[in-house]
Amino acid sequence: MLIDSFGRRITYLRISVTDRCNSRCVYCMPLAGVPWKSHDEILRYEEIAEIVRVVAAEGVRAVRLTGGEPLVRPNLPELVGMLAAIPGIEDISLTTNGLLLEQQAEDLVKAGLKRINVSLDTMQPELFRRITRVGSIERVMRGLEAAEKCGLTPIKINMVVMRGINEDEIIPMARLSISRPWHVRFIELMPLGNQQPWGDGFPLPETMYYPIREIRAQLETLGLEPVLDKSGNGPAVEYHLHGAQGRVGMIAALGEAFCDTCNRLRLTADGYLRPCLMSAEEINLKEALRSGQPILPLIQQAVDVKPLGHELASRPAPEGRCMLQIGG
Ligand code: SAM
Ligand code: SF4
């Protein structure tokens, strides 16, 4: 079993399958873009499966595929199938921007995908285009429909809340959980690799943080009913709105840090294991894999150096990688 020095059991691995993306979200990617890694630098599917085999034997039960945009990596269903066949893996989920979901949902489900999270920060087409710089909300909506038809439920919607940009959509987005069986989750903006101006008339990044207590205050006006059977493996605090089919959730990376229950490690697309999203510490698994060295001692090392918590609220984020290079 993988247990860190603070007694937290590691049962969940987030895997970035690519650092590439077909979108350009203002809070995730600098205006100038980022240099992509070459194909050789990125883990092959067999290498990812080998890492999952090793951690599954040590008690990891759930994996989430993310990126970059995971659906731009060719043949993703092939990887899902490989992971679904690994003994011990009970849950495979995906975080996506939804732009390619319409075409891929069915194959992903057939391969063993159980659940998806789709990032959607606004329901307004023009604002959606400004936030993503390139995306089309119509494509995302078609992707959501396809996912629903294939039974990828409950669909979780991730909304990053930004002051002066979309905080007036907290209530309408929350209401989507009444009209549809969706879980709508509100996420605090994190200062990761996005502190340069975002362009296109956006205010300065540091003025856009919208704390979870203000999100909660807005949601409380709708009447929040606590949920007893929490879904998923993540840190969202969940509620029902009265009469809702779905749920609302809040993810407070900064305002009410949830580090004491952290159960996860992250694998970057280029094969580094990161004990914590917010710390720059990383352990190179790819080198060991490619030179035939055992990787379990390195995984144990990553678990051992997992910090108790991050200090993002009081200190700047580590420089180096932006969100899509780590795997958000
Ligand atoms: N491309 C996929 C997507 O957008 O869902 C997966 C990768 S993306 C990095 C994963 C999640 O991180 C998305 O829900 C996105 O909104 C979120 N994210 C990215 N940058 C963020 C930031 N600076 N603060 C908070 N959430 C962020
Ligand atoms: Fe791409 Fe997702 Fe980052 Fe947006 S949030 S730029 S879709 S990786």
Side-chain angles (χ1 to χ4, degrees):
M1 269 209 271
L2 300 171
I3 298 180
D4 77 3
S5 35
F6 305 98
R8 295 170 299 190
R9 215 181 129 195
I10 307 302
T11 54
Y12 178 39
L13 180 67
R14 291 180 75 100
I15 304 170
S16 171
V17 297
T18 179
D19 61 337
R20 300 186 183 210
C21 188
N22 51 356
S23 195
R24 294 282 179 280
C25 302
V26 283
Y27 46 70
C28 180
M29 195 187 282
L31 189 55
V34 289
W36 306 134
K37 302 269 175 201
S38 70
H39 287 293
D40 272 2
E41 289 174 276
I42 299 298
L43 289 180
R44 296 187 288 272
Y45 284 168
E46 293 71 20
E47 293 172 327
I48 294 176
E50 178 55 23
I51 293 170
V52 173
R53 235 171 261 125
V54 173
V55 295
E58 299 300 320
V60 167
R61 295 288 165 258
V63 293
R64 173 172 294 275
L65 305 179
T66 178
E69 172 48 39
L71 298 187
V72 301
R73 179 136 181 198
N75 306 324
L76 193 68
E78 184 186 329
L79 176 65
V80 172
M82 289 163 81
L83 301 183
I86 294 175
I89 295 301
E90 295 163 0
D91 185 26
I92 304 176
S93 57
L94 172 80
T95 299
T96 172
N97 62 26
L99 292 170
L100 296 171
L101 197 52
E102 186 183 16
Q103 297 91 315
Q104 300 194 31
E106 200 175 331
D107 289 344
L108 288 164
V109 172
K110 280 185 190 152
L113 187 72
K114 296 273 190 283
R115 297 180 295 112
I116 53 162
N117 289 31
V118 177
S119 302
L120 186 61
D121 304 320
T122 173
M123 291 299 283
Q124 300 176 45
E126 180 49 27
L127 182 58
F128 182 87
R129 195 208 50 77
R130 278 183 66 212
I131 292 174
T132 60
R133 297 195 179 112
V134 295
S136 135
I137 195 168
E138 290 79 18
R139 276 173 68 186
V140 179
M141 297 313 287
R142 289 202 300 273
L144 283 165
E145 251 172 58
E148 242 165 13
K149 268 194 201 134
C150 299
L152 272 176
T153 51
I155 289 178
K156 295 188 179 174
I157 304 289
N158 287 353
M159 171 180 176
V160 177
V161 181
M162 293 162 272
R163 186 180 300 284
I165 307 297
N166 63 351
E167 85 261 35
D168 55 345
E169 286 194 71
I170 291 174
I171 300 263
M173 290 288 284
R175 286 208 171 106
L176 287 176
S177 74
I178 301 177
S179 53
R180 299 164 188 256
W182 291 354
H183 292 198
V184 181
R185 297 129 48 90
F186 301 91
I187 302 178
E188 281 187 333
L189 176 66
M190 290 182 261
L192 267 184
N194 57 11
Q195 295 306 287
Q196 303 305 315
W198 294 358
D200 198 14
F202 281 97
L204 287 175
E206 61 268 24
T207 66
M208 277 182 274
Y209 172 64
Y210 195 84
I212 207 72
R213 65 182 151 71
E214 290 188 49
I215 297 175
R216 180 176 289 115
Q218 285 213 40
L219 293 175
E220 272 167 355
T221 64
L222 295 173
L224 295 178
E225 298 168 1
V227 161
L228 300 178
D229 60 324
K230 190 176 138 25
S231 68
N233 304 288
V237 181
E238 294 182 322
Y239 299 90
H240 278 294
L241 298 184
H242 188 65
Q245 306 177 56
R247 299 178 179 185
V248 293
M250 287 174 256
I251 303 180
L254 274 70
E256 295 165 9
F258 36 71
C259 306
D260 53 337
T261 56
C262 186
N263 56 355
R264 61 189 58 187
L265 293 175
R266 289 167 192 269
L267 179 63
T268 66
D270 56 346
Y272 287 78
L273 205 51
R274 260 181 104 105
C276 170
L277 172 66
M278 317 287 192
S279 123
E281 185 115 35
E282 330 185 291
I283 286 164
N284 188 342
L285 289 190
K286 180 178 62 185
E287 197 176 72
L289 268 179
R290 292 188 179 173
S291 60
Q293 304 298 312
I295 57 169
L296 183 56
L298 295 172
I299 293 167
Q300 191 61 59
Q301 191 184 329
V303 172
D304 289 344
V305 300
K306 194 169 163 59
L308 179 57
H310 66 74
E311 293 170 354
L312 261 195
S314 57
R315 279 208 285 170
E319 305 211 346
R321 293 185 191 247
C322 61
M323 194 72 136
L324 94 165
Q325 293 169 313
I326 302 168

PDB file of all heavy atoms in Angstrom, residues 21 23-25 27-29 67-69 97 324, ligand 2:
ATOM      1  N   CYS A  21      -3.131  20.747 -26.691  1.00  0.00           N
ATOM      2  CA  CYS A  21      -4.531  21.091 -26.504  1.00  0.00           C
ATOM      3  C   CYS A  21      -5.073  21.778 -27.745  1.00  0.00           C
ATOM      4  O   CYS A  21      -4.348  22.511 -28.413  1.00  0.00           O
ATOM      5  CB  CYS A  21      -4.697  21.998 -25.287  1.00  0.00           C
ATOM      6  SG  CYS A  21      -6.444  22.239 -24.896  1.00  0.00           S
ATOM      7  N   SER A  23      -7.552  23.832 -27.415  1.00  0.00           N
ATOM      8  CA  SER A  23      -8.137  25.063 -26.926  1.00  0.00           C
ATOM      9  C   SER A  23      -7.005  25.914 -26.329  1.00  0.00           C
ATOM     10  O   SER A  23      -5.852  25.467 -26.308  1.00  0.00           O
ATOM     11  CB  SER A  23      -9.212  24.731 -25.895  1.00  0.00           C
ATOM     12  OG  SER A  23     -10.015  25.844 -25.656  1.00  0.00           O
ATOM     13  N   ARG A  24      -7.331  27.100 -25.863  1.00  0.00           N
ATOM     14  CA  ARG A  24      -6.289  28.015 -25.376  1.00  0.00           C
ATOM     15  C   ARG A  24      -6.810  28.801 -24.173  1.00  0.00           C
ATOM     16  O   ARG A  24      -6.709  30.024 -24.170  1.00  0.00           O
ATOM     17  CB  ARG A  24      -5.924  29.028 -26.489  1.00  0.00           C
ATOM     18  CG  ARG A  24      -5.252  28.441 -27.726  1.00  0.00           C
ATOM     19  CD  ARG A  24      -3.782  28.155 -27.425  1.00  0.00           C
ATOM     20  NE  ARG A  24      -3.102  27.569 -28.562  1.00  0.00           N
ATOM     21  CZ  ARG A  24      -3.154  26.289 -28.919  1.00  0.00           C
ATOM     22  NH1 ARG A  24      -3.894  25.441 -28.227  1.00  0.00           N
ATOM     23  NH2 ARG A  24      -2.463  25.851 -29.944  1.00  0.00           N
ATOM     24  N   CYS A  25      -7.388  28.126 -23.191  1.00  0.00           N
ATOM     25  CA  CYS A  25      -8.077  28.838 -22.107  1.00  0.00           C
ATOM     26  C   CYS A  25      -7.155  29.850 -21.430  1.00  0.00           C
ATOM     27  O   CYS A  25      -6.000  29.547 -21.116  1.00  0.00           O
ATOM     28  CB  CYS A  25      -8.597  27.859 -21.075  1.00  0.00           C
ATOM     29  SG  CYS A  25      -9.705  26.657 -21.810  1.00  0.00           S
ATOM     30  N   TYR A  27      -6.895  31.056 -18.487  1.00  0.00           N
ATOM     31  CA  TYR A  27      -6.336  30.828 -17.155  1.00  0.00           C
ATOM     32  C   TYR A  27      -5.372  29.658 -17.127  1.00  0.00           C
ATOM     33  O   TYR A  27      -4.761  29.354 -16.126  1.00  0.00           O
ATOM     34  CB  TYR A  27      -7.450  30.572 -16.124  1.00  0.00           C
ATOM     35  CG  TYR A  27      -8.505  29.603 -16.592  1.00  0.00           C
ATOM     36  CD1 TYR A  27      -8.233  28.255 -16.745  1.00  0.00           C
ATOM     37  CD2 TYR A  27      -9.792  30.053 -16.890  1.00  0.00           C
ATOM     38  CE1 TYR A  27      -9.181  27.373 -17.184  1.00  0.00           C
ATOM     39  CE2 TYR A  27     -10.764  29.169 -17.340  1.00  0.00           C
ATOM     40  CZ  TYR A  27     -10.454  27.830 -17.485  1.00  0.00           C
ATOM     41  OH  TYR A  27     -11.401  26.947 -17.927  1.00  0.00           O
ATOM     42  N   CYS A  28      -5.282  28.956 -18.241  1.00  0.00           N
ATOM     43  CA  CYS A  28      -4.489  27.718 -18.259  1.00  0.00           C
ATOM     44  C   CYS A  28      -3.250  27.872 -19.111  1.00  0.00           C
ATOM     45  O   CYS A  28      -2.193  27.337 -18.775  1.00  0.00           O
ATOM     46  CB  CYS A  28      -5.365  26.586 -18.795  1.00  0.00           C
ATOM     47  SG  CYS A  28      -4.550  24.997 -18.894  1.00  0.00           S
ATOM     48  N   MET A  29      -3.378  28.610 -20.208  1.00  0.00           N
ATOM     49  CA  MET A  29      -2.269  28.683 -21.155  1.00  0.00           C
ATOM     50  C   MET A  29      -1.874  30.133 -21.386  1.00  0.00           C
ATOM     51  O   MET A  29      -2.729  30.981 -21.614  1.00  0.00           O
ATOM     52  CB  MET A  29      -2.725  28.076 -22.482  1.00  0.00           C
ATOM     53  CG  MET A  29      -1.576  27.773 -23.395  1.00  0.00           C
ATOM     54  SD  MET A  29      -2.112  27.252 -25.002  1.00  0.00           S
ATOM     55  CE  MET A  29      -2.581  25.586 -24.744  1.00  0.00           C
ATOM     56  N   GLY A  67      -5.065  16.260 -19.211  1.00  0.00           N
ATOM     57  CA  GLY A  67      -4.011  16.778 -20.083  1.00  0.00           C
ATOM     58  C   GLY A  67      -3.697  18.216 -19.682  1.00  0.00           C
ATOM     59  O   GLY A  67      -3.955  18.601 -18.545  1.00  0.00           O
ATOM     60  N   GLY A  68      -3.317  18.990 -20.660  1.00  0.00           N
ATOM     61  CA  GLY A  68      -3.687  19.085 -22.044  1.00  0.00           C
ATOM     62  C   GLY A  68      -5.100  18.558 -22.297  1.00  0.00           C
ATOM     63  O   GLY A  68      -5.850  18.321 -21.384  1.00  0.00           O
ATOM     64  N   GLU A  69      -5.403  18.417 -23.561  1.00  0.00           N
ATOM     65  CA  GLU A  69      -6.719  17.870 -23.884  1.00  0.00           C
ATOM     66  C   GLU A  69      -6.552  16.395 -24.250  1.00  0.00           C
ATOM     67  O   GLU A  69      -5.993  16.075 -25.296  1.00  0.00           O
ATOM     68  CB  GLU A  69      -7.353  18.669 -25.035  1.00  0.00           C
ATOM     69  CG  GLU A  69      -8.637  18.079 -25.578  1.00  0.00           C
ATOM     70  CD  GLU A  69      -9.650  17.685 -24.490  1.00  0.00           C
ATOM     71  OE1 GLU A  69      -9.796  18.413 -23.496  1.00  0.00           O
ATOM     72  OE2 GLU A  69     -10.285  16.621 -24.623  1.00  0.00           O
ATOM     73  N   ASN A  97     -12.259  19.101 -22.427  1.00  0.00           N
ATOM     74  CA  ASN A  97     -12.941  20.350 -22.794  1.00  0.00           C
ATOM     75  C   ASN A  97     -14.169  20.064 -23.657  1.00  0.00           C
ATOM     76  O   ASN A  97     -14.909  20.981 -24.003  1.00  0.00           O
ATOM     77  CB  ASN A  97     -11.985  21.318 -23.492  1.00  0.00           C
ATOM     78  CG  ASN A  97     -11.416  20.770 -24.806  1.00  0.00           C
ATOM     79  OD1 ASN A  97     -12.018  19.948 -25.462  1.00  0.00           O
ATOM     80  ND2 ASN A  97     -10.249  21.263 -25.179  1.00  0.00           N
ATOM     81  N   LEU A 324      -1.668  23.037 -17.972  1.00  0.00           N
ATOM     82  CA  LEU A 324      -1.829  21.977 -18.970  1.00  0.00           C
ATOM     83  C   LEU A 324      -0.554  21.160 -19.119  1.00  0.00           C
ATOM     84  O   LEU A 324      -0.601  20.047 -19.642  1.00  0.00           O
ATOM     85  CB  LEU A 324      -2.318  22.541 -20.310  1.00  0.00           C
ATOM     86  CG  LEU A 324      -1.341  22.914 -21.397  1.00  0.00           C
ATOM     87  CD1 LEU A 324      -2.078  23.078 -22.689  1.00  0.00           C
ATOM     88  CD2 LEU A 324      -0.589  24.169 -21.052  1.00  0.00           C
TER      89      LEU A 324
HETATM   90 FE1  SF4 B   2      -6.723  23.146 -22.849  1.00  0.00          FE
HETATM   91 FE2  SF4 B   2      -8.060  22.261 -20.729  1.00  0.00          FE
HETATM   92 FE3  SF4 B   2      -6.099  24.064 -20.458  1.00  0.00          FE
HETATM   93 FE4  SF4 B   2      -8.344  24.798 -21.603  1.00  0.00          FE
HETATM   94  S1  SF4 B   2      -8.131  24.102 -19.484  1.00  0.00           S
HETATM   95  S2  SF4 B   2      -6.262  25.236 -22.374  1.00  0.00           S
HETATM   96  S3  SF4 B   2      -8.928  23.001 -22.651  1.00  0.00           S
HETATM   97  S4  SF4 B   2      -5.863  21.993 -21.131  1.00  0.00           S
END
